[in-house]
Structure formats: structure tokens, C-alpha cells
Amino acid sequence: MINRRLFIKAGALGASALSVVGLASARNEKSRSNARTNKPIVIATWDFGVAANQAAWTVLASGGRALDAVETGVRVPEADLANPTVGKGGYPDRDGHVTLDACIMDDKGNCGSVAALEHIAHPISVARLVMEKTPHVMLVGEGALQFALANGFEQEKLLTPESEAAWKAWLKKGKYEPVINIENKSFTSDRLPGNRYNHDTIGMLALDSSGNLSGACTTSGMAFKMRGRVGDSPIIGAGLYVDNEVGGATATGVGEEVIRTVGSFLVVELMRQGMSPREACREAVVRIIKKKPETAKKIQVGFLALNKQGEYGAFSLQKGFSYAVCDAKQQDLLMDGESVY
Ligand code: GLY
């Protein structure tokens, strides 16, 4: 077990500007937790969380709502055609259909979700409208598309030439094999597009200057999944959960294991019982291992959490889960270097 945390500065907030600047001990986390409420703050999963946080920060820094910040933030990777795991350009299912999952939750416990949504580039904004304009929490498939079109969303082709080429390369073997940390550039830069089999997700949590929390989560799901497969990301309690009295949590990785443990809800409840965000994320990871020890060795699952005081933490099954943090003092990409293996 590597007992350290790797801090990577994002500099001007561009992913290309990332450089390793040093190591910090667990004491840093302790001193943060003793500080007064740290707000506003936004945190997000993976390297692409840096650019997403930057967009969210423009909302938070001008006194905006956490809800608006998280929607604005995750729309950035949703629109990034080079990102094969979120939004337009996301890898399709095994039949060549790009199907997107997303959910959003605010400080009042309102939530909205879409699953298996096709032809719409910004599922997070459809999820927000489900929350705000319907008496329901979740719309799926054809019904979600119908709702989006009725509300003015543009129908688009989401399969890009690159994602189509990757799908065709995958079809030659047609074997689903999770690739751990595909979202982390430093782990994947040497992989050919056709080999970038797996997913994942942007999960974002924000605490605004009024002290209110919100979260958003969006993904194209598991690459080359079975038609109709839905992971944890649009499931409130699994991929995302926010309780404005306590904190919020979001998940990334193989969604089936997150659903089995209702992971994000679990993290929030553990924080309610007094755990720090990182301790709660660690315990949620341990629950996954206890349920399926053999599966857990081969997959990645990561949790990210933010509490009401603006303290944050993360933990993952495998090393290499990066997450981005943006507040008045820092715009960093962090990596929890500790792993249970
Ligand atoms: N965590 C994303 C998924 O499993 O679909």
C-alpha cells in the first residue's frame, strides 16, 4: 500500500499545463478539515474535471448557485468530442448506438435523471429539466428523447468518426475487458483508440457561497455495453447523492458494483456518522471488496465526496484515480496514491 497523496498542479487550469509539483502528507488533509467552511468549492472526477471545474467556477465565483455550477461544469466534457466516455463522441454500445446517462441533484433534495438517452448531446440539461418540469425523477430511452425534443433540444448524431472507428476495431474481437483508469491521461496515453475499451464518468460536486450543495453526474457508460445496459451514473444514490445537511458524493468506475452497494448514498450516510469524506469513500470501496473480492481486483471504482464544511476526499479500488479541485486558493488535479491493493 502506498501511503501518500500525489498533488498535481493544474496551473492555468488547462489539462495540457499539468505538471507534478510535489508530495504532501496526510497532515494536509487534517489541517484542511480543521479550517472554517471552505466555500465556494467545486470538485470533479478525473483529468477532464479540471476544465469542467473551470467552467463551474465562473458560476460560483460570481455568487451563483451550486446547481447552475455543476450543470455548467459537466457540459464541458459532454461537448468534448475527444472524450470517449462522456456525451457526444462517447463510445457506443455493441450495436453502435451512443446512449447517454446523467443525473443531477440540488440542495433541496430535488433530482432528475435520464438513462439510455440517444441523439442528445447534453443529457445533464435534460436531467435538470426532468427535475424542474416533471413530477418524475427519471425518464429513459424513447420517452427521454421525446421529452428532450419537446423541450427544444436538438437531435444530433452522437457517433463521431473516431468513436465509430473504435467500435469497429472492437467488433473484430468483441470482448469486453475493463481497462482500469482509462480516464486518466497518464495511464492511457499509450493506448490505441481501438483498445480504449472502457468508460467513465464525470461526477461533480459543488458548495456555493450560500453554503448549499449540488451534484451532477454524466457518462456514455461502459463502452460497447449490451444494448439497454444502464450503469450507476443516472441512479440517484448510486452514481450521485446530495444531502444538504451533510454533503455529497459521486462515483466513477464499473457501475454495477456501485449500484450493488448504493455507493454514493452510503458515502453520504457515513459522513453523517462522522467520517471524513475520504474515510467514507474508503469504507464504500471496502464494502465493494467484501461483496465481490475477486471482481474487485480486476476493476476500478472510485468515490469522490464533499461535505458541508467544504472538506473533500476520494478513494478508489485501484491506484490512479485522479480528481480535480477548484476553490479560491487552488485549481489542482489531485491523485489519491493510496490503494487497497
Ligand atoms: N460509472 C459509469 C457506468 O458504469 O456506466
Side-chain angles (χ1 to χ4, degrees), residues 31-39 308-311 329:
S31 60
R32 259 191 208 106
S33 59
N34 291 335
R36 282 177 303 152
T37 299
N38 178 26
K39 61 181 186 186
K308 189 76 177 162
Q309 287 70 48
E311 300 160 354
K329 293 185 247 58

Side-chain angles (χ1 to χ4, degrees), residues 101 199-201 219 221-222 229 231-233 251-256:
D101 302 332
H199 43 109
D200 210 62
T201 308
T219 185
M222 191 176 275
R229 181 265 186 191
D232 60 314
S233 300
T252 180
V254 175
E256 282 73 4

